[in-house]
Amino acid sequence: AYKRQKKTQQPRQADGNNNGSSKPVDIEVDVLTTGYWPTENVPPCTLPGPVNGAIQLFSDFYLQKHTGRKLSWQTSTGSAELKATFGTAPNKYRKHDLCVSTYQMCILMLFNEKSSLTLGEIRTATSIPDQELRRHLISLCTPKHRILRKGSKGKAITSDSDTFTFNADFTSKMRRVRVPLVSMKETSISGAAGASGASGAVGVGGVAASGGDGYTAAGGAVPENVEEDRRHLVEAAIVRIMKARKRLHHNDLIAEVTKQLSVRFVPSPQFIKKRVEGLIEREYLERDETDRRVYMYVA
């Protein structure tokens, strides 16, 4: 119903746009009750204008259908796909689809207006929490995914005056480029102790960090609060998928959960299986009586 309404509203929006330069932004929204979301309470960041427009369109539609409800946007758990153009001459332009987190999207969109920004300017414009901002910026400056160039030497971001410049020379063999997050541990490493392997580590947003049993690049222990946040993230993904699909084989569920969370971190199959068993115990899911590897959603 929302897609049909959006199609009817977009032509009217285009007619009211004199220069015709504005392009609609497509968004996919997962609407869950508060109890299904992770317990972390992260304030929403400042989203780009076109994204806010798409959010407002969805909010108007949803609140007309469901009176008395309130939508709280969890910008720390989203992902985005950006169409980016690199190169310095028209005949040498290279186009890539960048698969990034919502925070990374907010950062990169700023470089449509200016080619160089400081850490302080980016923080003011996006309202992303400082530790997460540093982590997402470092992820955009790794050797394999150097979409931004950091002005200071070393891996660490040392001050608000550190500059970041859009790297028009970025290249990749792939048209579709997924930009993984470095671990929180690597974010806090000082410049003198810079460790290798940042481009390959994948972390989780919010207050959580990378590392842990079966899905860490460094092999270190996971802090208890990080483990708790990851359990909630995996369980929320499982419930979203099963609520939509109703019935799913174990291997298909593992693949779907891994795909949904890959932008944030990569849980091991064993970790996902434990969360499935926990949801079965709490009667969110049940096993098929004829095939124990098939799960069914309990309404």
Side-chain angles (χ1 to χ4, degrees):
Y2 170 63
K3 290 183 178 179
R4 289 196 299 271
Q5 176 170 312
K6 186 170 65 172
K7 287 180 180 178
T8 62
Q9 290 191 8
Q10 283 175 355
R12 292 200 296 269
Q13 292 174 344
D15 291 340
N17 184 9
N18 294 329
N19 56 22
S21 60
S22 177
K23 294 183 179 180
V25 174
D26 290 328
I27 60 171
E28 295 182 6
V29 184
D30 290 321
V31 181
L32 299 179
T33 56
T34 304
Y36 286 129
W37 285 107
T39 56
E40 57 184 308
N41 185 18
V42 182
C45 65
T46 302
L47 295 168
V51 179
N52 274 325
I55 285 177
Q56 188 60 51
L57 186 65
F58 177 84
S59 296
D60 293 343
F61 164 80
Y62 183 84
L63 297 177
Q64 286 174 4
K65 296 286 185 180
H66 306 281
T67 57
R69 296 189 184 182
K70 178 183 178 182
L71 289 175
S72 298
W73 295 89
Q74 304 293 320
T75 56
S76 62
T77 61
S79 60
E81 185 172 308
L82 298 177
K83 295 186 181 299
T85 302
F86 300 90
T88 55
N91 61 338
K92 295 183 179 180
Y93 284 156
R94 301 177 302 280
K95 297 182 182 295
H96 293 285
D97 297 334
L98 305 180
C99 301
V100 296
S101 69
T102 301
Y103 283 167
Q104 289 172 324
M105 178 266 292
C106 293
I107 293 168
L108 291 174
M109 291 286 283
L110 297 177
F111 290 89
N112 283 335
E113 306 298 330
K114 295 178 67 177
S115 60
S116 184
L117 293 163
T118 65
L119 172 65
E121 290 172 335
I122 296 172
R123 185 191 299 112
T124 300
T126 62
S127 302
I128 298 173
D130 183 70
Q131 194 70 6
E132 282 297 325
L133 177 59
R134 292 169 184 263
R135 179 183 177 209
H136 283 72
L137 280 169
I138 290 175
S139 299
L140 293 167
C141 298
T142 60
K144 187 176 180 181
H145 302 96
R146 187 163 287 151
I147 298 168
L148 300 179
R149 292 186 182 276
K150 187 164 68 73
S152 60
K153 294 182 179 180
K155 182 183 297 183
I157 301 173
T158 56
S159 70
D160 281 6
S161 60
D162 276 3
T163 59
F164 297 86
T165 305
F166 179 72
N167 179 21
D169 297 327
F170 171 79
T171 60
S172 176
K173 295 179 180 179
M174 307 296 292
R175 171 63 184 258
R176 186 181 176 90
V177 180
R178 187 176 71 85
V179 183
L181 292 176
V182 300
S183 67
M184 194 69 79
K185 179 180 178 181
E186 289 177 87
T187 306
S188 61
I189 291 176
S190 66
S196 62
S199 61
V202 180
V204 62
V207 297
S210 182
D213 182 18
Y215 48 90
T216 175
V222 180
E224 185 176 346
N225 65 322
V226 174
E227 188 77 10
E228 179 69 18
D229 287 326
R230 286 187 169 182
R231 283 198 293 268
H232 287 303
L233 284 171
V234 172
E235 288 183 356
I238 293 171
V239 171
R240 284 198 301 269
I241 293 166
M242 292 303 300
K243 190 173 183 179
R245 302 287 289 275
K246 306 301 182 186
R247 178 187 176 93
L248 210 56
H249 190 275
H250 174 80
N251 291 342
D252 295 331
L253 179 59
I254 296 293
E256 287 282 349
V257 172
T258 303
K259 179 181 177 182
Q260 283 200 12
L261 297 177
S262 61
V263 174
R264 312 204 62 78
F265 76 106
V266 182
S268 67
Q270 294 82 4
F271 188 79
I272 299 174
K273 183 179 179 182
K274 287 182 180 180
R275 305 288 26 99
V276 169
E277 291 171 351
L279 291 170
I280 291 174
E281 291 176 1
R282 286 177 279 159
E283 299 183 348
Y284 285 92
L285 307 177
E286 63 182 8
R287 296 182 187 273
D288 188 293
E289 293 183 359
T290 59
D291 188 349
R292 303 291 291 175
R293 290 179 62 80
V294 173
Y295 307 118
M296 296 183 295
Y297 178 72
V298 179

